[in-house]
């Protein structure tokens, strides 16, 4: 299986402060991988090393088979850094057009793909609006459009749906899932646990170092020694530990009920319960 991102034993230090500690991770062709962790966990520091803004102190990073600082690589990926903003003195269309030019996209392709992105992201009516006049959510949509204008093989998104309402977030999810169907690979950091659960093939929990990793289903199974049983007749929710106890409780129920495993959010809170 082709690894588009390969991180091996990476350390990033600022003096004596360790931001990333011996991190190894991979992202394969056609999958979405999420990095989850509390504020200050080193997610953005790691992501910046993936697109060459920062260099690791130790370890090796390979992106699309090359060093992340390779200029050709930069033209083959799409990026939304966490703190970036559109060029506010340019219109929505000019942001898309000039970013396409910077990435070496041919004019005809910019117009074709740019128009498609405007439609998908519901930015057509804002085409000639200056970026400074957009809402925070619209700016995030514009950034997503600029990151995709070069039809990248790999997309790196650091908090891409921050500031979007629930409907707009769902629209972005659909776009990302569509990119996955096209064979694109996506690395995502997010604080929205439902977003990670909906989109991710694999997840890395990070707090300076990798705490837990695996398929979303594997992580949930690891924490599946307890269940929540919702008794719709009584309206009560019962937390039950172990399958034997669950079977015993269910055998005494006559009405409608639902049994579910812990959500990714509940697992996250358990993993990081001692992190302030």
């Amino acid at each position: 299986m082709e690894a588009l991102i390969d991180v091996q034993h990476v350390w990033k230090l600022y003096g004596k402060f360790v931001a990333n500690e011996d991190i190894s991770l991979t992202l394969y062709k056609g999958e979405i991988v999420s990095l989850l962790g509390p504020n200050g966990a080193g997610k953005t520091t790691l992501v910046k090393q993936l697109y060459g803004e920062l260099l690791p102190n130790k370890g090796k990073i390979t992106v699309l088979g090359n060093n992340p600082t390779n200029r050709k690589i930069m033209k083959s990926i799409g990026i939304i850094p966490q703190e970036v903003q559109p060029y506010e003195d340019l219109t929505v269309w000019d942001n898309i057009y000039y970013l396409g030019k910077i990435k070496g996209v041919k004019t005809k392709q910019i117009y074709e793909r740019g128009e498609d992105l405007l439609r998908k992201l519901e930015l057509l009516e804002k085409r000639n609006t200056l970026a400074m006049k957009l809402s925070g959510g619209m700016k995030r949509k514009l950034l997503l459009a600029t990151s995709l204008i070069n039809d990248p093989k790999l997309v790196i998104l650091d908090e891409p749906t921050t500031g979007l309402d629930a409907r707009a977030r769902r629209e972005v999810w659909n776009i990302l899932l569509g990119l996955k169907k096209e064979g694109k690979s996506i690395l995502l950091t997010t604080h929205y646990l439902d977003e990670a659960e909906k989109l991710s093939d694999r997840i890395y929990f990070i707090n300076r170092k990798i705490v837990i990793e695996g398929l979303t289903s594997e992580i949930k199974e690891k924490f599946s020694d307890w269940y929540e049983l919702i008794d719709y007749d009584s309206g009560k929710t019962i937390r039950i530990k172990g399958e034997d106890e669950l079977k015993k409780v269910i055998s005494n129920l006559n009405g409608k009920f639902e049994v579910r495993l812990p959500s990714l959010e509940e697992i996250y809170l358990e993993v990081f319960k001692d992190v302030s």
Side-chain angles (χ1 to χ4, degrees):
M1 191 178 295
E2 181 184 359
L4 274 66
I5 293 177
D6 187 23
V7 177
Q8 294 296 325
H9 304 291
V10 160
W11 292 70
K12 183 61 184 177
L13 301 92
Y14 297 96
K16 294 183 178 180
F17 177 75
V18 179
N20 294 146
E21 179 183 335
D22 197 25
I23 288 181
S24 296
L25 64 82
T26 52
L27 182 144
Y28 296 104
K29 180 176 169 57
E31 71 172 353
I32 299 177
V33 169
S34 289
L35 308 180
L36 302 179
N39 290 329
K43 302 185 300 297
T44 295
T45 298
L46 177 61
V47 167
K48 286 182 176 181
Q49 293 170 84
L50 297 180
Y51 56 78
E53 183 174 332
L54 294 175
L55 298 176
N57 295 94
K58 290 191 287 185
K60 183 179 180 181
I61 297 175
T62 304
V63 177
L64 301 181
N66 289 278
N67 190 299
T69 57
N70 186 310
R71 294 188 67 181
K72 289 182 180 179
I73 295 301
M74 296 303 295
K75 291 184 177 181
S76 301
I77 64 177
I79 306 166
I80 300 183
Q82 188 179 86
E83 68 280 2
V84 75
Q85 292 290 329
Y87 293 102
E88 296 206 330
D89 292 331
L90 296 180
T91 65
V92 166
W93 176 253
D94 285 344
N95 266 276
I96 294 171
Y97 179 83
Y98 287 116
L99 261 295
K101 281 296 183 183
I102 289 170
K103 293 181 177 183
V105 184
K106 293 180 180 179
T107 301
K108 181 181 178 182
Q109 293 172 327
I110 291 175
Y111 276 94
E112 290 175 352
R113 188 161 180 81
E115 292 289 342
D116 184 50
L117 288 167
L118 286 174
R119 282 193 297 273
K120 285 181 177 178
L121 292 165
E122 297 188 348
L123 288 170
L124 273 174
E125 293 183 1
K126 301 293 184 180
R127 178 192 185 102
N128 297 315
T129 301
L130 290 175
M132 69 174 66
K133 295 184 178 180
L134 297 177
S135 66
M138 285 290 184
K139 288 180 180 178
R140 299 304 290 181
K141 284 187 174 185
L142 175 54
L143 289 170
L144 184 57
T146 60
S147 74
L148 297 175
I149 191 60
N150 58 327
D151 194 19
K153 297 178 182 178
L154 169 66
V155 186
I156 299 174
L157 306 174
D158 197 358
E159 307 283 352
T161 59
T162 298
L164 298 183
D165 60 30
R167 178 173 173 272
R169 284 176 62 217
R170 294 277 176 170
E171 291 168 359
V172 171
W173 293 2
N174 289 336
I175 290 170
L176 297 182
L177 291 172
L179 291 172
K180 178 186 171 182
K181 287 181 180 178
E182 295 173 12
K184 312 294 187 189
S185 303
I186 300 168
L187 184 79
L188 174 74
T189 78
T190 179
H191 281 297
Y192 297 116
L193 277 296
D194 59 334
E195 183 165 279
E197 189 161 12
K198 175 71 175 179
L199 297 177
S200 305
D201 296 294
R202 292 187 298 117
I203 290 173
Y204 290 86
F205 283 3
I206 293 180
N207 188 24
R208 189 179 65 185
K209 57 186 177 182
I210 303 295
V211 180
I212 294 175
E213 63 178 282
L215 298 171
T216 307
S217 58
E218 290 174 343
I219 291 174
K220 294 184 77 170
E221 185 177 352
K222 188 173 182 178
F223 286 81
S224 64
D225 61 335
W226 58 266
Y227 304 83
E228 279 194 349
L229 186 148
I230 303 170
D231 183 351
Y232 288 111
D233 285 350
S234 66
K236 293 181 179 179
T237 298
I238 309 167
R239 190 165 179 170
I240 302 167
K241 188 177 177 76
E243 288 188 19
D244 292 341
E245 183 63 23
L246 176 65
K247 291 175 183 177
K248 188 187 300 182
V249 174
I250 289 175
S251 67
N252 294 318
L253 294 176
N254 296 315
K256 293 183 177 180
F257 62 88
E258 177 184 349
V259 177
R260 70 176 187 86
L261 294 172
S263 68
L264 190 63
E265 180 174 359
E266 289 163 331
I267 293 171
Y268 177 94
L269 292 173
E270 177 67 21
V271 170
F272 296 112
K273 63 184 177 182
D274 296 324
V275 178
S276 57

